[in-house]
Amino acid sequence: MNRRNIVKSLALMPLAAYPTLSHSRDKTQNSHGLDQSEADYSNVKIRKVRAIITAPQNIELVVVKVETDQPGLYGIGCATFRQRAHSVVSAINDYLDDFCRGKDVNNIEDIWQTAYVSSYWRNGPVLNNALSGLDQALWDIKGKIAGMPVYQLLGGKCRFAVDTYTHASGPTPEAVVEDVQKYMEQGFRNVRIQLGGYGSTHLSKEPAYKRYQFGSPDDNTLDANAYISGTVKMFDLVRQKIGNEVELLHDVHERMQPMDAINLIKQLEQYRPFFVEDPFSPENNGWFELLRKQTSVPIAMGELFNSPHEWIDPMSKRWFDFIRIHISQIGGITPAMKVARLGEWYNVRTAWHGPGDVSPVGHAANAHIDLAVWNFGIQEAPRFNEALLEVFPGSPTVKDGFMFVNEKPGLGIDINEELAKKYPAPKFDYNWTQLRKNDGTPVRP
Ligand code: MG
């Protein structure tokens, strides 16, 4: 028996005992169409790594495609860092492609570890997103070779579907109540409530800095007192009108001074929030210890984290209850699984960041991890428009407030590259990160 046949027979042996398994390799082709009886997938070489940029929902999305030397075998992964999308494209096309060519797709951990240090300096958002696109594409390929969805490779299902929360908002507490009711009618049991946009800037009066022509004319203004009192009123009215049957979440979006955030959270305690998210900017991690001593409100943190130095210490000190990293911002499924496992031992649950600037491929990766890890907490639900669903066939679906993935091997999702070209990246809008206090001081998200 030659090496190729030994590999084949070993791969077939355990599954042959369970012929009813839907993922059985006891077929000529698996459901991805890969020929399992003749081909040897023990050493599949990377032929090319390339970035695809598209914006079907008018949000820049970057997806990596890893092509292999096996006909029809490729993988895709999310590398979306909307705010510097073109820099990520360069990191992929100008560096990772060259670095990866000829490597064996089977060795995900080895490729991740060597690519991670290939720039020497590391843990920044541009390089981590490029790495994530590569990493997720390799997991997609591994699933296709195995004939299994990625969640099976991560340990199998720990729950039947992924419980999610959606976003309700409005300019007034009354409008927020109506929005919450709308989503509850759609089956959502968990709703994030926000009074307007980030920092409720519509509540701010004309700021002094604009009278003195300081800053840019489009800059937003944060009035922390107006935001805090408005948010408390919103929680109060939602609980009065809707009662306790809905879980309420809230995102501070990091923009408060630490003591303002702590005061807000103490006032919200009586309304039993499911969690309050991102009370501090990542530079203020050290304030969590004080927050923890002041309130029992569950805290979610971490969408701006990029480096292990930002989460290892706070998680191991149990300073927050939910870790809500943006998975492509730390380098993909491989490091996210390590974060999830770390959290298991400290009872820190996952709540991965899942807004519109995660591609449907990234949402699929979120969902596959959500299904498999014991300490899953909750998932921010995606909202896909029709154009996005056409460009990304096989995207996860949301029904009754739960997210589902399909049973196709890999991440179960593809990209229609011809259609993707119809939606070029728009000019980036800097405005939403530009926020000032009354005197013009820039506020950090
Ligand atoms: Mg957030």
Side-chain angles (χ1 to χ4, degrees):
M1 191 179 273
N2 63 25
R3 180 176 176 273
R4 179 171 163 154
N5 284 336
I6 291 169
V7 168
K8 269 169 58 187
S9 61
L10 283 176
L12 285 166
M13 201 181 299
L15 286 172
Y18 303 97
T20 55
L21 282 181
S22 61
H23 305 303
S24 170
R25 280 179 162 190
D26 192 16
K27 304 169 187 172
T28 304
Q29 292 190 330
N30 75 15
S31 53
H32 183 63
L34 295 177
D35 186 333
Q36 300 285 26
S37 62
E38 293 303 321
D40 175 6
Y41 293 114
S42 63
N43 187 351
V44 176
K45 298 237 183 308
I46 294 175
R47 204 171 58 79
K48 189 170 178 58
V49 178
R50 60 189 174 84
I52 302 160
I53 188 164
T54 184
Q57 215 159 247
N58 212 34
I59 298 173
E60 305 85 335
L61 303 175
V62 179
V63 168
V64 165
K65 191 165 195 173
V66 173
E67 299 171 356
T68 74
D69 62 0
Q70 299 294 309
L73 179 59
Y74 61 87
I76 56 175
C78 181
T80 300
F81 172 24
R82 177 190 194 184
Q83 289 74 7
R84 291 295 182 273
H86 299 286
S87 307
V88 177
V89 168
S90 166
I92 294 158
N93 291 346
D94 298 333
Y95 294 96
L96 274 189
D97 175 40
D98 179 47
F99 178 79
C100 290
R101 284 191 192 201
K103 293 190 193 301
D104 182 352
V105 295
N106 288 292
N107 301 339
I108 298 177
E109 184 72 27
D110 182 69
I111 293 175
W112 194 94
Q113 296 291 350
T114 52
Y116 177 60
V117 295
S118 68
S119 56
Y120 189 41
W121 278 275
R122 50 196 181 262
N123 293 324
V126 171
L127 299 182
N128 277 358
N129 270 278
L131 192 53
S132 166
L134 168 67
D135 177 76
Q136 293 187 7
L138 293 175
W139 280 100
D140 189 28
I141 290 170
K142 193 175 277 299
K144 287 171 177 173
I145 290 174
M148 292 182 184
V150 167
Y151 75 78
Q152 293 285 9
L153 306 180
L154 303 179
K157 280 185 183 175
C158 217
R159 51 197 56 80
F160 78 91
V162 178
D163 203 5
T164 69
Y165 70 89
T166 193
H167 298 181
S169 66
T172 63
E174 290 76 14
V176 174
V177 169
E178 272 184 34
D179 217 27
V180 172
Q181 284 164 335
K182 180 182 86 184
Y183 288 115
M184 288 176 73
E185 282 161 19
Q186 292 174 19
F188 285 99
R189 297 160 300 281
N190 315 291
V191 183
R192 192 189 86 169
I193 53 173
Q194 304 292 140
L195 195 56
Y198 290 29
S200 304
T201 54
H202 67 293
L203 302 177
S204 305
K205 298 189 187 78
E206 181 70 5
Y209 74 85
K210 294 218 170 175
R211 290 204 302 275
Y212 287 85
Q213 285 89 46
F214 188 78
S216 298
D218 293 338
D219 287 347
N220 296 301
T221 309
L222 178 72
D223 178 341
N225 287 338
Y227 161 72
I228 290 169
S229 61
T231 299
V232 175
K233 278 182 201 150
M234 170 186 70
F235 264 86
D236 192 64
L237 194 70
V238 173
R239 280 290 181 228
Q240 268 185 49
K241 298 285 183 194
I242 297 178
N244 257 317
E245 62 192 280
V246 63
E247 296 290 350
L248 298 177
L249 300 82
H250 179 70
D251 190 352
V252 178
H253 290 125
E254 308 96 1
R255 286 156 169 78
M256 293 294 108
Q257 284 297 310
M259 277 305 177
D260 288 341
I262 292 172
N263 278 323
L264 167 65
I265 294 166
K266 284 167 70 176
Q267 292 181 69
L268 296 183
E269 194 170 299
Q270 60 186 309
Y271 305 111
R272 197 186 56 76
F274 181 86
F275 68 49
V276 171
E277 171 185 341
D278 291 347
F280 309 133
S281 65
E283 293 85 354
N284 282 321
N285 256 358
W287 288 82
F288 276 107
E289 186 175 12
L290 186 63
L291 171 64
R292 213 47 162 170
K293 289 173 179 165
Q294 298 282 325
T295 175
S296 61
V297 170
I299 302 297
M301 179 66 188
E303 75 182 50
L304 280 173
F305 286 169
N306 286 113
S307 165
H309 305 300
E310 291 168 308
W311 64 77
I312 292 173
D313 202 36
M315 285 176 72
S316 62
K317 287 176 172 157
R318 301 177 175 88
W319 280 352
F320 40 74
D321 304 83
F322 296 88
I323 181 75
R324 52 178 288 96
I325 281 168
H326 185 118
I327 285 179
S328 71
Q329 292 285 352
I330 65 163
I333 293 170
T334 297
M337 284 301 292
K338 294 171 188 177
V339 173
R341 300 309 193 206
L342 174 71
E344 176 172 343
W345 301 116
Y346 298 104
N347 216 92
V348 176
R349 289 175 279 167
T350 65
W352 310 123
H353 194 220
D357 53 359
V358 170
S359 75
V361 185
H363 283 288
N366 286 348
H368 280 272
I369 297 175
D370 293 337
L371 285 169
V373 300
W374 173 78
N375 53 319
F376 164 74
I378 199 163
Q379 178 62 57
E380 190 171 17
R383 287 180 187 176
F384 301 139
N385 69 6
E386 257 178 49
L388 204 62
L389 292 171
E390 272 180 12
V391 173
F392 293 96
S395 291
T397 50
V398 178
K399 190 182 173 208
D400 297 329
F402 289 104
M403 175 154 58
F404 297 84
V405 296
N406 62 53
E407 291 298 310
K408 286 187 186 138
L411 292 171
I413 185 166
D414 208 345
I415 182 166
N416 182 328
E417 290 193 58
E418 282 312 304
L419 261 182
K421 286 179 193 157
K422 279 175 57 184
Y423 304 100
K427 182 175 161 18
F428 180 63
D429 174 14
Y430 294 92
N431 182 246
W432 75 276
T433 57
Q434 302 303 298
L435 188 63
R436 295 179 186 277
K437 295 180 190 172
N438 187 51
D439 68 358
T441 307
V443 175
R444 278 186 193 152

